[in-house]
Amino acid sequence: MSVRHISTGSPFEEQIGYSRAVVADGWVFVAGTTGYDYATMIMPDSIETQCENALATIAGALEEAGSGLDHVVRVNYIVPDPSEWHKCWPITSTAFAKAKPAATMISAGLQNLEMKIEIEVTARVAP
């Protein structure tokens, strides 16, 4: 089995010991991704901007893996405050308009209190 690891350079990847994405046998597994702007390590205040940032980071990792948001088959959203989740719907429905992946929203605490959403996806490598 061929395995390739993709990193975004986030300090969390090194500190915790994980890859942003792993490509294996035609699949791309993207780790739970929060809304940091990894270039500045700034976390925006709004869940909407955090959602946009997380999806941009995910899209970049998928592109590096030879995939993209249109090839996502599964997405998990983790949101500490479920009352804010609906604010992300316009963003996620646009991002996944073509893929329409199987999806789950889980309400749970995240690593840092400033984190309002974490997104994890599974995708196929583009044909």
Side-chain angles (χ1 to χ4, degrees):
M1 172 171 69
S2 172
V3 176
R4 183 164 54 108
H5 297 88
I6 295 171
S7 174
T8 58
S10 160
F12 295 123
E13 293 170 26
E14 182 64 32
Q15 292 168 353
I16 299 170
Y18 70 95
S19 296
R20 176 63 48 208
V22 176
V23 184
D25 293 335
W27 291 99
V28 185
F29 303 93
V30 181
T33 304
T34 60
Y36 281 105
D37 174 339
Y38 287 109
T40 62
M41 285 310 292
I42 294 174
M43 178 66 82
D45 290 331
S46 76
I47 192 171
E48 297 93 333
T49 305
Q50 288 189 26
C51 184
E52 290 167 351
N53 285 358
L55 288 169
T57 300
I58 290 166
L62 289 171
E63 183 177 325
E64 188 174 337
S67 187
L69 292 176
D70 290 347
H71 301 286
V72 171
V73 297
R74 180 80 172 134
V75 59
N76 289 311
Y77 304 100
I78 304 150
V79 181
D81 182 355
S83 72
E84 287 202 303
W85 168 228
H86 73 280
K87 297 175 186 177
C88 295
W89 295 356
I91 300 160
T92 60
S93 66
T94 298
F96 297 116
K98 184 174 177 183
K100 299 213 180 296
T104 301
M105 190 284 284
I106 301 161
S107 179
L110 298 176
Q111 183 172 308
N112 295 335
L113 291 176
E114 66 188 349
M115 297 173 175
K116 296 184 178 183
I117 188 166
E118 186 168 342
I119 305 171
E120 170 189 66
V121 305
T122 303
R124 294 292 294 167
V125 172

